[in-house]
Amino acid sequence: MDITTILFYVFSGILLVSSFRVITARSTVHAALFLILSFFTASCIWMLLKAEFLAIALVLVYIGAVMVLFLFVVMMLDLNTDSMREGFWKHLPLAAIVGALIAFEMGIVLMGGFKLADAPVATPEQLQMGNTKLLGIEIYTAYLYPLQIAAVLLLVAIIAAIALTLRRRKDSRAMDPSEQVKVTKAERLKIVKMAPTVAAPAAEATPKEGGQA
């Protein structure tokens, strides 16, 4: 057994343990940290499989951006996880059945892709280009339309998420830029003449009876 196979099994074991701890950790922050460990271990496995672009993209996009933002939001909001865990064991059997069914369906669909004997053999010219360049050529030629459709769907999802979470605060004050642009020169400064007013002097205190002031 070579060193690559040993590292594959080591990283796979770490990935399984960290993935299990993501759903069993009592602290939300600990679950997010275990998820970061899972992503990093998966990227190491992809590096062993010579999928450098996928490994770097997983580290930069998910660990460097998404998970850091998620961890920041979780620590800032200070969520109450006790209320979220109510009824966990009650719904666990149904969730386990649904999860097993999803895993079975994915196994049926993806099992054909693991037949390495039917995999196309790369030419010497393709080997010199590298995996990243070959992946880019394949995506932007054979899969251009699915890529554009996925981009549009993600854009619609982002706009929908912003529209659903946008709430107008009643105590906030804001200026309408369109109204500011319509203001004329005469409306910017208005001189008002007011009559001068003089405050009346305060009345002096009268001495009380008995000579006391």
Side-chain angles (χ1 to χ4, degrees):
M1 186 179 293
D2 56 351
I3 186 64
T4 303
T5 306
I6 295 175
L7 290 177
F8 177 81
Y9 284 111
V10 170
F11 289 143
S12 300
I14 297 174
L15 179 59
L16 291 175
V17 173
S18 59
S19 301
F20 181 75
R21 288 295 297 158
V22 169
I23 60 176
T24 58
R26 299 187 63 86
S27 175
T28 311
V29 177
H30 293 170
L33 293 176
F34 279 115
L35 187 57
I36 292 175
L37 178 61
S38 301
F39 285 152
F40 184 78
T41 309
S43 66
C44 293
I45 295 176
W46 279 348
M47 288 291 289
L48 293 177
L49 299 176
K50 297 181 180 180
E52 299 87 0
F53 176 77
L54 296 177
I56 297 301
L58 183 61
V59 172
L60 294 180
V61 176
Y62 285 93
I63 300 178
V66 176
M67 288 311 304
V68 172
L69 179 61
F70 179 76
L71 188 60
F72 174 75
V73 171
V74 167
M75 296 179 66
M76 182 179 66
L77 295 180
D78 192 15
L79 299 175
N80 185 13
T81 57
D82 294 335
S83 59
M84 297 181 181
R85 293 179 180 274
E86 293 181 356
F88 174 79
W89 297 106
K90 178 181 178 182
H91 302 287
L92 181 60
L94 179 59
I97 295 174
V98 174
L101 182 60
I102 293 174
F104 178 73
E105 293 176 352
M106 291 181 63
I108 294 176
V109 174
L110 301 177
M111 193 59 67
F114 292 98
K115 296 180 180 179
L116 299 180
D118 300 337
V121 180
T123 61
E125 292 79 8
Q126 292 177 344
L127 293 176
Q128 292 180 358
M129 295 174 65
N131 292 332
T132 305
K133 190 173 183 179
L134 289 175
L135 181 62
I137 294 174
E138 190 72 15
I139 289 176
Y140 288 101
T141 53
Y143 298 96
L144 179 60
Y145 289 117
L147 179 66
Q148 297 297 327
I149 293 174
V152 172
L153 291 177
L154 289 176
L155 179 61
V156 172
I158 292 173
I159 297 175
I162 296 175
L164 290 174
T165 57
L166 183 61
R167 297 291 185 271
R168 292 186 178 274
R169 296 180 54 184
K170 297 180 179 180
D171 56 345
S172 62
R173 297 181 180 179
M175 297 293 296
D176 190 359
S178 61
E179 297 295 334
Q180 293 179 341
V181 174
K182 295 178 183 178
V183 176
T184 60
K185 182 179 179 180
E187 295 175 348
R188 293 184 181 275
L189 180 61
K190 184 180 293 185
I191 300 177
V192 180
K193 294 183 178 180
M194 299 179 63
T197 57
V198 179
E204 297 181 357
T206 57
K208 297 181 179 180
E209 296 181 357
Q212 295 180 358

